[in-house]
Amino acid sequence: MIWNQQYETMPRDELRKLQLLRLKQLCENVYHRVPFYRNAFDKAGVKPEDIKSLDDLQRLPFTYKQDMRDNYPFGMFAVPQEQVVRIHASSGTTGKPTVVGYTARDVDTWAELMARTMSAAGVGRGDILQNAYGYGLFTGGLGAHYGGEKIGASVIPISGGNSKKQLMLLKDFGSTAISCTPSYALSLYETAVEEGINIDELKLRVGIFGAEPWTDAMRQEIEAKWKIDALDIYGLSEIIGPGVGYECVEEKRGMHISEDHFIVETIDPKTGEVLPAGEEGELVFTTITKEAIPLIRYRTRDITSLITDPCKCGRSSVRMRKVTGRSDDMLIIRGVNVFPSQVEAIIVTKKELSPHYLLIVDRVDNMDTLEVQIELAEGVFMDTISKLQELAKTVEKEIKDMIGVTCKVRIVEHKTIARSEGKAMRVLDKRKL
Amino acid sequence: MKLQQISVFIENQSGRLYDVTNLLGQNGINIRALSLADTSDFGILRLIVNNPENAYKILKDNEFTVGRTEVVAVEVKDEPGGLAEILGALSKNEINVEYMYAFVEPSGGNAIMIFRFDETDKAVEKLTAAGFTLVPGNRIYGI
Ligand SMILES: [Zn+2]
């Protein structure tokens, strides 16, 4: 099912014309309304009127997550605050979140994008959508919610967690679609088995999964266990939230990007050079219709490649493959963005601990786990068990408070965490994604 | 009347206890008393040795996580209620025991308890006043 025939199947030359028109308007807009962009354009020696073709996009400066932090909370807004009807935020490395705002039109755009996402997955009027993404500052819950309502599905805003209740509603309400993280889908299945639920008696037929990286092997596992179609979606709050990229049920190979709203590039993360389509590089997005926080060439740090082949579904848009890695050290643990530097910021405040630490991420019973190993500091030594345990508990709590992820802190002997020349190894990801 | 105790932080993995005792043995350090407190993740090995200064330096040079703590050795009368008598005196004076462990003199004399107090000086003063025998370092180290 194609939600928006006109834009989703628009011939590519027409689409490019539309992109250029919107890009020019965007440049005019941010140059005059966002001091950050005026400075950045001036520094790069480019004026809005210099943008004459889509290739001129390469002359524009990049936007980094750090720029959003530097302009915390509302410095990147291109509209007066009274036009902002919604504010979301995601966790940040220094404790300050990354803030995104939406005008009424942005909220509509977002719902439109999620409506395309749901339709591409085969969800529509008459479906019962159990939305198990977290509601709140995180964009997942409300993003899927508005999209679900727009396509006319009956949306159950159950939010994340509480597996027994999820299963009860799945059974009693006859939910036909579910949206959550892929790891939660697998963990929910385990609970279903424990509760003796017969999967064949459920009406569930499709799942819309995102907010964390996952593999095709996981897709096959989810599809076989739940007996559903499992579709991947991509999004990040800086760009708009979920709905930036979505798979179609016809091919399930790469996520379509709504190019009438975003211009996507892949670049070499070191040189910043634009790569030919198909080559692996960092994804960069320019939001050409957003009002509250329009972004020019936003560096996502996600590594993947683009597919330009025509798709069976008839959509004319470019597709992105699954994200294969990061060009920085960010981890996604249970859908939450985690930077080692956040953990480090906590450790350095404890005189009993050294700044040598290692984050070990694993997946046990389909749930991500995080263990933080920290070396004791030299010369400061508490020789009672209870004080050391208390210290570990304190750090666990502070990490939970700052990044929202439960972890286990293991205090280790001095000089036992591997040192390397140059960059210290801070992360051991055993999830094999 | 205070003793130097060496504490070593060790992760719970086989062989670490051996590493510490072997290293000290090779360097001519005699272990007089030893206690291991542990959890599922880590342990703290507490040692009374004949030469605490040297032992500390050797362990540190070999990159063990090591600390020094002041403890007190108290003679326990070889009769029922001997230990309770000491603990009673401490309780009366509101002195907290962080941990303690036993130590037996090879000569067959009285048992000795090693105590770690939250207020070491006060403990020494009160125990002495109450007539308990505190064992001096040179006697313990030289056993
Ligand atoms: Zn398609």
Side-chain angles (χ1 to χ4, degrees):
Chain A
M1 257 188 292
I2 292 179
W3 175 256
N4 191 326
Q5 201 73 32
Q6 187 196 346
Y7 286 104
E8 289 183 87
T9 63
M10 187 177 259
R12 291 212 55 89
D13 54 339
E14 244 180 85
L15 189 58
R16 289 177 65 82
K17 270 187 210 145
L18 178 68
Q19 284 188 321
L20 179 59
L21 179 75
R22 289 180 169 175
L23 177 64
K24 285 178 172 175
Q25 287 167 350
L26 168 76
C27 290
E28 279 292 339
N29 184 17
V30 296
Y31 189 77
H32 292 107
R33 292 191 182 181
V34 187
F36 164 79
Y37 277 120
R38 175 180 287 259
N39 282 337
F41 275 47
D42 288 348
K43 241 168 134 184
V46 57
K47 291 256 177 289
E49 54 268 29
D50 294 336
I51 304 303
K52 296 193 167 69
S53 76
L54 282 180
D55 289 337
D56 291 329
L57 178 63
Q58 297 183 31
R59 300 177 58 185
L60 297 177
F62 290 117
T63 308
Y64 298 86
K65 197 182 182 85
Q66 187 61 43
D67 297 325
M68 303 190 74
R69 282 188 215 122
D70 292 346
N71 289 283
Y72 175 87
F74 301 153
M76 297 294 275
F77 283 15
V79 296
Q81 182 262 315
E82 59 262 32
Q83 288 181 31
V84 171
V85 301
R86 177 98 65 80
I87 296 168
H88 280 282
S90 62
S91 63
T93 55
T94 52
K96 292 282 190 203
T98 304
V99 179
V100 286
Y102 301 76
T103 63
R105 200 185 85 182
D106 290 337
V107 170
D108 281 347
T109 302
W110 191 13
E112 158 77 19
L113 294 171
M114 280 309 288
R116 293 181 189 182
T117 302
M118 305 255 173
S119 296
V123 180
R125 182 171 294 273
D127 272 306
I128 297 175
L129 173 69
Q130 187 155 331
N131 185 21
Y133 281 119
Y135 281 70
L137 280 179
F138 171 59
T139 50
L142 283 170
H145 184 101
Y146 277 64
E149 286 189 348
K150 197 171 177 83
I151 56 165
S154 313
V155 182
I156 309 169
I158 188 166
S159 197
N162 202 347
S163 296
K164 286 190 183 167
K165 193 168 192 178
Q166 298 273 1
L167 291 166
M168 184 177 83
L169 300 196
L170 211 52
K171 220 169 107 188
D172 297 350
F173 291 9
S175 308
T176 54
I178 188 166
S179 43
C180 60
T181 62
S183 55
Y184 186 66
L186 283 170
S187 132
L188 190 61
Y189 177 81
E190 302 302 327
T191 314
V193 172
E194 282 163 26
E195 298 284 297
I197 288 173
N198 182 356
I199 300 295
D200 289 326
E201 283 173 8
L202 298 178
K203 296 208 173 103
L204 196 65
R205 54 179 186 79
V206 57
I208 295 164
F209 304 118
E212 68 186 13
W214 53 310
T215 58
D216 271 321
M218 258 176 99
R219 184 210 304 269
Q220 281 153 18
E221 190 183 348
I222 293 172
E223 292 192 329
K225 285 181 163 168
W226 282 107
K227 301 180 183 171
I228 60 172
D229 282 314
L231 294 133
D232 195 4
I233 63 170
Y234 176 81
L236 62 169
S237 60
E238 295 92 315
I239 301 304
I240 202 153
V244 177
Y246 53 96
E247 279 184 333
C248 59
V249 74
E250 288 87 347
E251 280 210 11
K252 291 183 191 166
R253 189 176 70 90
M255 290 164 274
H256 288 280
I257 291 166
S258 288
E259 291 178 278
D260 50 331
H261 293 285
F262 311 110
I263 301 177
V264 62
E265 302 167 276
T266 38
I267 61 155
D268 179 328
K270 290 203 180 67
T271 64
E273 239 169 89
V274 177
L275 300 170
E279 269 184 44
E280 191 157 89
E282 182 180 332
L283 271 184
V284 172
F285 284 99
T286 300
T287 67
I288 47 178
T289 56
K290 243 172 87 185
E291 291 182 330
I293 296 195
L295 295 178
I296 290 191
R297 306 191 82 198
Y298 183 73
R299 301 278 300 254
T300 65
R301 298 298 180 190
D302 284 327
I303 303 287
T304 187
S305 56
L306 299 175
I307 305 171
T308 50
D309 311 342
C311 186
K312 260 192 237 162
C313 69
R315 288 178 182 81
S316 56
S317 53
V318 70
R319 283 174 283 169
M320 57 174 276
R321 290 196 172 82
K322 276 186 185 297
V323 172
T324 57
R326 295 277 306 174
S327 67
D328 61 11
D329 52 5
M330 188 182 88
L331 288 161
I332 301 180
I333 302 172
R334 277 171 249 151
V336 178
N337 298 350
V338 177
F339 290 90
S341 53
Q342 293 173 298
V343 175
E344 186 167 320
I346 291 168
I347 295 171
V348 295
T349 63
K350 307 280 177 282
K351 67 177 186 338
E352 300 87 357
L353 298 173
S354 82
H356 295 289
Y357 63 94
L358 180 65
L359 308 187
I360 302 175
V361 192
D362 206 345
R363 193 163 276 173
V364 180
D365 298 332
N366 299 311
M367 279 297 282
D368 292 340
T369 61
L370 172 64
E371 176 177 302
V372 183
Q373 294 192 347
I374 314 167
E375 284 184 12
L376 276 173
E378 240 184 315
V380 189
F381 182 47
M382 300 181 290
D383 88 328
T384 48
I385 294 275
S386 59
K387 281 182 188 159
L388 283 170
Q389 282 178 323
E390 209 174 285
L391 176 65
K393 285 271 167 297
T394 306
V395 177
E396 280 170 4
K397 186 179 179 302
E398 288 181 17
I399 290 174
K400 167 87 183 166
D401 289 348
M402 180 182 257
I403 63 178
V405 169
T406 306
C407 71
K408 151 125 184 103
V409 166
R410 188 186 291 270
I411 294 173
V412 299
E413 289 178 40
H414 169 61
K415 286 212 171 158
T416 51
I417 291 172
R419 313 290 204 259
S420 61
E421 304 297 318
K423 206 169 178 243
M425 191 178 93
R426 297 300 195 201
V427 174
L428 180 60
D429 197 338
K430 298 176 167 175
R431 290 176 293 185
K432 296 187 187 72
L433 286 167
Chain B
M1 284 300 153
K2 289 179 282 188
L3 257 58
Q4 284 275 315
Q5 172 194 260
I6 304 295
S7 306
V8 190
F9 176 87
I10 49 176
E11 282 167 56
N12 266 0
Q13 41 184 271
S14 57
R16 286 308 272 166
L17 198 52
Y18 168 79
D19 292 343
V20 175
T21 50
N22 185 49
L23 177 68
L24 293 176
Q26 279 180 350
N27 285 278
I29 304 283
N30 278 341
I31 298 171
R32 300 299 185 203
L34 171 155
S35 130
L36 178 66
D38 66 349
T39 71
S40 56
D41 293 342
F42 63 86
I44 297 170
L45 180 64
R46 300 171 184 131
L47 301 162
I48 303 291
V49 298
N50 62 343
N51 189 337
E53 286 304 315
N54 259 355
Y56 177 79
K57 191 176 175 306
I58 290 159
L59 288 165
K60 203 166 177 55
D61 289 349
N62 284 277
E63 289 175 353
F64 282 95
T65 306
V66 55
R68 278 174 291 197
T69 321
E70 284 188 327
V71 292
V72 178
V74 187
E75 261 189 26
V76 185
K77 278 184 220 148
D78 191 13
E79 58 183 45
L83 178 59
E85 214 180 302
I86 301 173
L87 295 175
L90 292 169
S91 166
K92 205 177 81 191
N93 288 290
E94 289 175 338
I95 296 163
N96 287 317
V97 177
E98 288 191 354
Y99 54 80
M100 60 182 179
Y101 52 97
F103 177 106
V104 181
E105 277 189 283
S107 55
N110 284 336
I112 293 170
M113 287 299 288
I114 307 286
F115 284 95
R116 165 71 180 159
F117 298 114
D118 58 347
E119 296 166 285
T120 309
D121 290 328
K122 184 178 164 193
V124 168
E125 183 201 317
K126 298 292 180 191
L127 287 171
T128 311
F132 292 101
T133 308
L134 305 194
V135 189
N138 52 19
R139 192 176 133 205
I140 298 276
Y141 303 148
I143 283 168

